Amino acid sequence: MSTHPEEAIVVPPPPLPGQKIPRKTHWTSIYTAGILAFLGNMQLELYFSSLWPYLQEIDPTTTEVFLGILIAAWGLGGLISSPIFGYLSHRIGKVKPLLYLGFSIMLFGNFVYVFTGIIPVGKKYLILITRFTTGFGLSYVSLLRAYAVAASTPIDRSKAIAFVTGGMCLGDFSGPAFQLIFTPLGRVGIRLIGDLHLNIYTGPAILACCVNLIAYFLIFFCFTERSIGVINKEDTKNKGVDLPPYDKIAIAVCFLTAFCQYFVMIVVGILNAPLVMAVFNLTNAETVKYTAFSEFIRCFIAFLVYFIYMKFNFAKKVNSRKVATLAIFGFLMYHLISYSYSFLPGHLKMYNNDDLKLSNGTELTGCNMDKYEWCNSFNPINIIVYYIAYTFILGISNPNLNVTFGTLFSKIIGPRPQQIEQGWLQVAGTSGRMIGSVSMSAVQSKFGPKWVWNVMIGLCTVTLSAWILFRRRMIPLTIPIEYAEFHDENDPDARKNKKKPKKMDSNVFDVET
């Protein structure tokens, strides 16, 4: 036995009868939730780079319009399933069974995708069904955000949410990288059974099936349901005090923000390659190189932002409302900086269909004036300015908005089960993704990038105005004093008044905006 007092092992005394055990964030399950978010988004992004050539391989009559329908089908699946998942989870009071269900639906979609190429008829329509199915199953991510609230203390909430949103972002970033693993296999690949081959098209789907099996393992062994961060019916019954209703105007602003964020990010992502190819006079190879490099830098910056939030619990040091407002302003600034103003010098390099016929297979660069009527009226922006705005402004704004906006949304609802509200937030975001991907592609083709930018500038302006106009309502829920353990006195989003209350039996915390 050690004779030094400082080396003595201190065993904490057992809790006294009636004494509550201190609430602690269940970090093991939070980490698992982040990994599950990563696995879902990663397998979804696995397909994007190979989907179009695969469609051309199995059905040469497939058009770009059908590709847009495929992307919309994924969004439609999430649009339908998100409120259903939220409602079912709220009714049964659990998240775990719905996680199994979500990954099972995605496993089914990926499994069918593997065999699509050897089915004799209706191949592209079968892929349409698999994309809808995968989008339907991915709605489990809204439950993970709700679980991050339920399994964390008020002090750790922002950090817990950062793990889930960071996992989603890392999945988006890693998906295309995993696709590169199967590139050496080519279109023929390795024969497995009969006409089924492991190749550049089926490889991602097989990997996605394996990913879902890994998810089952993690859910069973590492994910434990905890509800230390929410007030249950038993607590309400014992204390005899209900939580006040949350501010519906503030929730509506959050739904608008999710719609705007997903709308902007999907439009920028889809139109980035065709825009830079036409405007900056790039070849196909240069477009792929510049796009891949800019995406890598943007995602790397986003990952650094998430790392800061997760490692240093950065959200505890900043006001979520102010950071979210600045992030939306960043979205607006990106479009204002990269806008094609009429006073900009120069014109696009253009060619027409006759030039294509005379090119003898030589790749032409620039804007096809027979395909796009807007070539003559577009004033080119500086390529360096465009890519700096794209990589740094969006790379910083988007992850900051994800963490702070997601944290504030959970605080506005308060320490109550949030599966339904998180499901509808997912619906708002998915609606923006689906509407943006379909509508803005048509707008750019017909009217040009300038009108796409006009729409997004208008949407960002409306969203930013809502945050400014209702800034005094974008605060955490006022919690009754009976539930003091669910209140963080050092919360940067809501602080106590400097004036001391006259009576100690005040029934609520007085929160200043």
Side-chain angles (χ1 to χ4, degrees):
M1 178 180 290
S2 173
T3 57
H4 299 283
E6 64 271 19
E7 296 181 0
I9 300 176
V10 179
V11 179
L16 299 175
Q19 180 182 1
K20 289 187 176 182
I21 301 175
R23 296 172 180 265
K24 293 183 179 180
T25 299
H26 196 260
W27 286 114
T28 301
S29 292
I30 295 294
Y31 299 150
T32 304
I35 296 174
L36 294 176
F38 163 79
L39 294 178
N41 281 48
M42 182 269 285
Q43 63 178 296
L44 183 70
E45 296 292 332
L46 275 171
Y47 295 90
F48 279 168
S49 58
S50 63
L51 184 58
W52 174 247
Y54 189 40
L55 287 169
Q56 295 296 303
E57 182 84 16
I58 63 176
D59 191 342
T61 64
T62 306
T63 64
E64 290 87 346
V65 174
F66 189 81
L67 178 63
I69 294 174
L70 277 178
I71 298 175
W74 170 82
L76 180 61
L79 195 69
I80 295 173
S81 64
S82 292
I84 296 176
F85 272 54
Y87 174 77
L88 292 177
S89 179
H90 180 77
R91 283 296 302 268
I92 65 177
K94 294 182 180 180
V95 170
K96 200 168 186 176
L98 276 303
L99 296 181
Y100 281 121
L101 177 62
F103 278 104
S104 297
I105 294 174
M106 296 183 73
L107 176 62
F108 172 78
N110 292 317
F111 185 78
V112 173
Y113 189 96
V114 173
F115 294 92
T116 301
I118 61 176
I119 295 176
V121 293
K123 297 179 180 180
K124 68 178 183 180
Y125 298 106
L126 192 58
I127 289 184
L128 177 65
I129 295 174
T130 63
R131 293 298 82 207
F132 174 85
T133 303
T134 305
F136 194 97
L138 189 62
S139 291
Y140 74 86
V141 295
S142 64
L143 303 182
L144 295 178
R145 289 197 297 264
Y147 178 76
V149 175
S152 61
T153 62
I155 296 177
D156 296 327
R157 183 142 307 146
S158 56
K159 185 177 180 180
I161 292 176
F163 270 102
V164 176
T165 55
M168 295 169 62
C169 173
L170 188 59
D172 293 337
F173 168 63
S174 303
F178 281 103
Q179 166 71 63
L180 295 176
I181 298 175
F182 304 98
T183 303
L185 295 175
R187 53 182 294 272
V188 178
I190 303 172
R191 182 176 176 272
L192 297 178
I193 302 175
D195 294 330
L196 180 63
H197 289 74
L198 172 64
N199 53 35
I200 192 174
Y201 305 128
T202 61
I206 294 175
L207 175 61
C209 291
C210 297
V211 163
N212 288 305
L213 296 178
I214 294 173
Y216 290 149
F217 177 88
L218 291 173
I219 296 172
F220 185 82
F221 290 102
C222 305
F223 190 87
T224 305
E225 296 256 14
R226 289 289 188 272
S227 59
I228 63 169
V230 296
I231 299 171
N232 54 40
K233 294 181 179 179
E234 183 179 351
D235 292 333
T236 303
K237 183 178 180 180
N238 292 336
K239 296 180 182 295
V241 178
D242 292 327
L243 279 176
Y246 52 75
D247 192 327
K248 292 183 173 57
I249 297 295
I251 293 298
V253 173
C254 291
F255 288 159
L256 172 63
T257 305
F259 180 91
C260 174
Q261 181 186 16
Y262 279 71
F263 187 100
V264 168
M265 294 307 298
I266 192 65
V267 171
V268 170
I270 290 178
L271 301 186
N272 181 42
L275 174 66
V276 300
M277 182 180 293
V279 174
F280 300 134
N281 193 27
L282 302 179
T283 65
N284 288 334
E286 290 173 336
T287 300
V288 172
K289 181 176 66 174
Y290 288 5
T291 301
F293 184 72
S294 62
E295 282 294 326
F296 175 81
I297 296 298
R298 184 178 67 84
C299 292
F300 181 72
I301 292 173
F303 176 75
L304 289 180
V305 173
Y306 284 120
F307 178 79
I308 292 172
Y309 276 102
M310 291 183 289
K311 178 66 176 179
F312 304 104
N313 204 1
F314 189 64
K316 289 294 299 177
K317 302 175 177 63
V318 296
N319 182 278
S320 297
R321 184 193 68 213
K322 294 179 180 179
V323 174
T325 304
L326 288 174
I328 299 171
F329 179 73
F331 277 41
L332 179 61
M333 286 302 300
Y334 161 74
H335 292 96
L336 293 177
I337 292 174
S338 58
Y339 191 79
S340 174
Y341 295 100
S342 58
F343 58 79
L344 291 175
H347 300 281
L348 298 184
K349 179 183 177 182
M350 294 177 286
Y351 63 91
N352 54 33
N353 291 335
D354 291 335
D355 297 327
L356 283 175
K357 295 177 182 178
L358 298 174
S359 64
N360 295 323
T362 303
E363 182 179 359
L364 299 180
T365 60
C367 188
N368 187 340
M369 57 191 304
D370 288 336
K371 184 177 181 180
Y372 302 118
E373 299 177 0
W374 48 268
C375 293
N376 285 312
S377 60
F378 191 90
N379 299 80
I381 59 178
N382 184 277
I383 186 172
I384 297 177
V385 172
Y386 174 82
Y387 274 115
I388 289 178
Y390 180 80
T391 55
F392 288 93
I393 296 181
L394 290 183
I396 295 174
S397 297
N398 192 52
N400 272 290
L401 183 60
N402 270 333
V403 176
T404 56
F405 157 63
T407 302
L408 186 57
F409 179 77
S410 69
K411 292 180 180 179
I412 292 172
I413 298 173
R416 50 166 58 93
Q418 300 185 6
Q419 293 94 324
I420 294 178
E421 289 81 3
Q422 292 286 353
W424 283 109
L425 184 69
Q426 185 79 3
V427 167
T430 304
S431 299
R433 185 191 294 262
M434 185 174 65
I435 294 174
S437 62
V438 176
S439 63
M440 291 300 100
S441 297
V443 170
Q444 169 153 313
S445 179
K446 180 64 177 177
F447 303 104
K450 184 179 293 187
W451 272 102
V452 174
W453 259 232
N454 287 340
V455 172
M456 294 200 286
I457 287 173
L459 180 59
C460 291
T461 300
V462 171
T463 306
L464 180 62
S465 300
W467 278 81
I468 295 174
L469 181 62
F470 299 109
R471 62 187 181 281
R472 297 186 181 277
R473 308 183 75 150
M474 306 303 291
I475 58 172
L477 182 74
T478 301
I479 304 175
I481 193 66
E482 286 81 1
Y483 300 107
E485 65 270 26
F486 295 94
H487 177 76
D488 180 12
E489 294 183 356
N490 299 316
D491 187 353
D493 298 326
R495 57 188 177 86
K496 291 182 179 180
N497 282 331
K498 295 180 180 180
K499 296 180 180 180
K500 295 182 179 180
K502 295 181 180 180
K503 296 181 180 180
M504 296 301 295
D505 59 349
S506 175
N507 62 343
V508 295
F509 285 101
D510 190 7
V511 178
E512 184 187 60
T513 59

